Structures are given as C-alpha cells and as structure tokens.
Amino acid sequence: MSFSHLMKTFAQFVAVTFSLAINAVLIILVVYHSPEKIGNYKYLMIYFCLISMFYAAIDFTVQPYLHSYGSSFSMIMDLRGSVFQNFPYVAFLLTSSLAGCFGMSIYAISINFVYRFFAIQRANGTKNFSGYKLFLWLSIPIIAGMAWLSVGVFLMDYDEEFAEYLSESINKSYGLDWHNITLTGCMYFRSDGNGGWHWSVAGTTGAAVLTVIMNTAFFIIVYFGYRTKKMINCLTTTKGDTLFTQRLQKQLYNALVAQTLIPIIFLFFPIGILFSAPLFGFDLERWSYLVTFFYSFYPVVDPIPTIFFIDEYRIAFLNFFRRTLNRNQVTPVKSIDIVPELP
C-alpha cells in the first residue's frame, strides 16, 4: 500500500470522526439550547446534521477517488482488500449512493433558505412548515438524492470499457488496478472500434440531468437568499420586531450564508468543474486528488458556522469547555508559616 493511499485513508478517517462528533455536538446544542423563537427550524437543522453524518459514514466506507481524465469524470471505489471485493454490485450501489449524498446536501441547504424566507413573513409564514407540510419539505432532499442515485445506476453505471479507459491514468495517479474497482461516472466520448470516437448519449444525458438538479438547487439558494437578505434589512422594531427577533434572524441568516459558502467552495465549484472540464477538453487529472479531499471534508466544516454564529449555541459550546478546564485546574494553595509569638 502506497504512502499516498495511507495518507488518504488517514485523512478520511479524521474527516468521518470529526464530522460525526461536530454534527452530534450541534444536534445537542439545537435540542437543549435553541431560542424559543427558532420554532420548527430546529428540526431542519437536526435533519441537516443527520444528512451530513450519513454522508460522512458512506464517504468513509467508499473512500472514493473523484477523478477526471480525458473525456470523462468519475467517482471510483478501490475494491482491493475490501469486504466488497466479492460483492462488486453492492460496492457500486454504495458509490452511487455517496454521489447521491451530494444531491441530498444541496437540497437540504435549499429548503433551509426557503424556510428562512417564510419565517420573516408577517402573515404566519412558518405555517408552511408545520404539521404534515414539514415532512413534505423534509422529503425533498431524499427525493433529490434518489434522483441522483438513479441517474448513477441507470445512465452512469460501471462498465469495463470505461474502467479500462481509465486504467493507465488511475494506476499512475493512485496505484489502482482497473480490474479491482467499481465506479460511477460519465464518458462524453467513446471509441467506435475503428480508431474514431462517438458521442455517448447515455453518459451525456446523465451528466445533463445532474447539472439541472445541481443548478436548480443553486438557483433556489441564490433567489431566496437574496429575497431574505432584503427583508432582514427592512426589519425594524416599529414593525413589531423586537431587538431579540432582529438579532436572531440576522444570526440565522449569517449562519446560513456561511453554511452555503462552504458547499459552494467544497462541492458546487469543484464538482461543477469536474463535470464540465472533460466536455471542453480540459485535462484536470492532476487536480483530482484535491477534489476528492474537498468532497470528503465538506461534512466536517459545514456545521461549524451554525455553532459560532448563533449566540446561544456559541455561548453554551464555549461554556462547556470553560467548565471542563476549570474542573481540571488545581487551585494553588498559599502556604503560611504560623510562628507562635513568645511572651
């Protein structure tokens, strides 16, 4: 096993450990330290944390390589020494499910922005997220993830021609053997067997569908984010908003913006480039490792803004560490020598 493979495995172990820990901390803070006025939004935050934890667990199981080469992009799982070596189709479904976690994550962010928009409406806007309607909203990320998974299974599935096409590249970059991998991805152009190339309709259709899914989520985030920002700027106490409400709304919005910049940096931007570069003839092979690490570390950093932007969560989080440190400190005792006064 190469040093780079060991480092990658260690990094992904660190990622899943910290992701599970940080998201669990945020769930505890949301359950026990949420302001009363936060309403049903706390359920969305818990749901978002659970998605991130699921994402991290599957990422560690698959330990993927996101790879761009020639006219293709792919997510690869190494089967050597794996319990899935004798069950390659199960490994393929896990790899496709990890890709589907991207779809789940970006739509979870989207419905958070929609909620924040309705939450600042005067006419009881959060009623759209109460009762059975809340469960309908919560189903959207699952539907998006299943749609992404379905595209991976039916339009971007594993085939030997694709794996062999990548053989030299993945062996040179990662030391992988194409006979012992599974993958999901797209080859925009395939060999026609006569030295020429033809357009891959299935792969391109799959990439196009995923691009639509991704861009729709991005549009929702931008649209509702802009509308919410305008309304927050208009919040005043004369319109019935207390200073506490104004502060809380701005904190939640700032946390959401920060929590959106993270997937833009870690997911939207690198994955968008990974999808489009092969189509236009740009070879990003040597940058693939960077995309892999960005994809794996996303669930680690995503909950951090919420913990530190919401006052109640930040104070509770920091107070826990202060109390822990104070308990572990030994109080210095000053020694006083008492000398009896002789008559």
Side-chain angles (χ1 to χ4, degrees), residues 240 264 293:
I264 287 175
F293 280 107

Side-chain angles (χ1 to χ4, degrees), residues 196-260:
W197 297 87
H198 68 87
W199 193 283
S200 173
V201 176
T204 305
T205 302
V209 172
L210 297 186
T211 301
V212 170
I213 293 173
M214 182 168 62
N215 287 339
T216 301
F218 188 73
F219 172 78
I220 292 171
I221 290 169
V222 171
Y223 175 77
F224 283 98
Y226 174 72
R227 293 285 305 276
T228 303
K229 180 62 175 174
K230 286 187 66 176
M231 296 190 71
I232 285 178
N233 289 340
C234 296
L235 287 176
T236 62
T237 54
T238 58
K239 293 182 180 180
D241 299 298
T242 65
L243 290 174
F244 175 80
T245 299
Q246 292 182 52
R247 178 179 62 81
L248 180 60
Q249 291 288 2
K250 289 179 181 179
Q251 286 174 12
L252 290 169
Y253 181 79
N254 290 335
L256 203 54
V257 169
Q259 210 168 11
T260 302

Side-chain angles (χ1 to χ4, degrees), residues 218 221 259-270:
F218 188 73
I221 290 169
Q259 210 168 11
T260 302
L261 290 175
I262 289 171
I264 287 175
I265 295 170
F266 282 78
L267 295 180
F268 280 108
F269 187 65

Side-chain angles (χ1 to χ4, degrees), residues 19-20 23 27 44-58 100-109 111-112 137-138 140-142 298-299 302:
S19 177
L20 295 177
N23 280 285
I27 289 174
L44 292 182
M45 289 194 287
I46 293 171
Y47 182 59
F48 197 13
C49 289
L50 294 175
I51 288 176
S52 292
M53 295 169 82
F54 178 72
Y55 179 149
I58 294 197
C101 286
F102 176 83
M104 288 180 65
S105 296
I106 60 178
Y107 275 87
I109 298 168
I111 62 173
N112 273 269
W137 285 106
L138 296 180
I140 291 175
I142 297 174
Y298 160 72
D302 194 60

Side-chain angles (χ1 to χ4, degrees), residues 166-179:
L166 297 174
S167 60
E168 184 179 346
S169 173
I170 60 176
N171 183 262
K172 182 180 70 175
S173 298
Y174 319 116
L176 299 180
D177 179 0
W178 73 274
H179 296 94

